[in-house]
Amino acid sequence: MKQIICLSTSNWHPFPTRKQQVMGRLKDADILYFDPPVSYLAPFKDKTLRERLHAFKKDGEKIKDHLTVYAMPPVLPFFNKFRLINKLNGQKQARFVRKIMKKHGFEKPVLWCYSPSAADIAEKIPHSAVIYDCVDRHSAYKGMINPRVVDRMEKELASAADMVFCTAKGLEKTLREYNGETHLIPNGANFELFSQVSRPSEILAPPPDDLFNVRAPILGFVGMLQECIDYALLEAVAQAHPEWSFVLIGKTQPDVDLTFLSKYRNIHLLGLKPHKELPRYLALFDVCLNLFRSGDLSKDVSPLKFYEYLATGKPVVSTPQPEQVLEYADVVYIAGTPRDFIKKCELAVSEHDAWKVRRRLEYGREASWDARVAAMEKLLKQKGIF
């Protein structure tokens, strides 16, 4: 059985991202999944992170027989700004990983990395191969980072990796310059879960309580409420159609202030919902919204929500970013201006096209996580890593 160390950028709980979907589907593998560390400064910005400072002291959580989750120990802040700090953090994290490896009898596992900062960890952990799975333009994030430092770490990690995966064409273009074994594997969808929406009898009744009094038509968004979402566009549609309801499902990032949306009686912020409950909400959506503002980060993102929308068969209205949505222009309503976006929403609300529903479901099936992981495993076997 293969041994894999996953250095993740997402906590295993509460919401599954690419990392959990991939690790949960790899075959014949014993996996140690490490939640990312919090910095000693982070709890001052987000109080919910306080208990994470001590989480690493707990025993690992066994998710499946072959998969155990540990939390990394806390680290010094500004590691994406000053390389020396990242090196110091890397030493601490590597010691912790080696300790856990010994506990589980791991000798030379495959290191599966998701952050450029892992460049200063990988070299300190015995391993048989390194995989870099790049899911974002990391240097495009705002905050306490130095883009040149982040890009330099990514170049080192990608250059030394035995295999590089990435989620967008822009990322592929950059990373291929560092490593010829770079392969585009976009994000995907849990097709089995979200395709239930196209078969309403499979969705548990009654409807969720917080949608019970929300009138149709409902235009909904599911995902992280972060800085790169185009809230001005949402405002424009809400103002143009006060008779429509707009539902936002997801956690609001600490640096995002959405209090200005409270003045709209037709906009409803429902917060984060359990992943398995999302089909019950999406079943009541008339239209799914993909709302990304133009920018370097949005250009190269691969939103899980978009593929999950496709898997429902529901009409989708999207901005032109990320660029991947353009590949689905035959069944997705794409608009580049607020005026056009309003018009496309009107078309989507009144859509009665069975062919488009079937085609979206086909796209969703093609983008299933089972298919994505199978493509990864095939490449890794060809390379001799698996």
Side-chain angles (χ1 to χ4, degrees), residues 91-109:
Q91 291 177 358
K92 180 179 182 179
Q93 292 175 80
R95 283 196 300 270
F96 182 73
V97 171
R98 292 196 302 267
K99 177 182 176 181
I100 302 302
M101 282 175 55
K102 184 177 181 180
K103 175 182 176 181
H104 287 265
F106 276 40
E107 294 182 354
K108 295 187 71 176

Side-chain angles (χ1 to χ4, degrees), residues 256-267:
V256 175
D257 183 4
L258 298 182
T259 54
F260 70 98
L261 294 179
S262 61
K263 63 184 177 184
Y264 297 100
R265 298 183 63 183
N266 59 338
I267 296 180

Side-chain angles (χ1 to χ4, degrees), residues 6 38 77 87 121 132 146 153 159 204 227 266 319 347 356-357 365 368 383:
C6 177
V38 295
K87 288 180 179 293
I121 305 175
Y132 176 41
N146 181 331
M153 291 192 295
S159 298
L204 295 176
E227 184 269 338
N266 59 338
T319 53
L347 292 173
K356 286 185 176 180
V357 174
R365 183 178 288 105
S368 72
K383 181 69 174 175

Side-chain angles (χ1 to χ4, degrees), residues 22 51 64 78 89 116 134 137 178 183 185 199 221 334:
V22 171
E51 64 180 52
K64 301 179 180 179
F78 312 119
N89 288 341
C134 180
R137 180 73 66 182
Y178 309 148
H183 302 275
I185 307 285
R199 305 183 295 276
F221 171 92
I334 301 173

Side-chain angles (χ1 to χ4, degrees), residues 327-353:
E327 300 172 16
Y328 304 91
D330 55 336
V331 293
V332 173
Y333 300 89
I334 301 173
T337 66
R339 188 171 184 176
D340 191 24
F341 200 90
I342 294 169
K343 182 178 179 181
K344 293 297 172 59
C345 284
E346 292 169 348
L347 292 173
V349 166
S350 60
E351 179 190 287
H352 297 285
D353 191 330

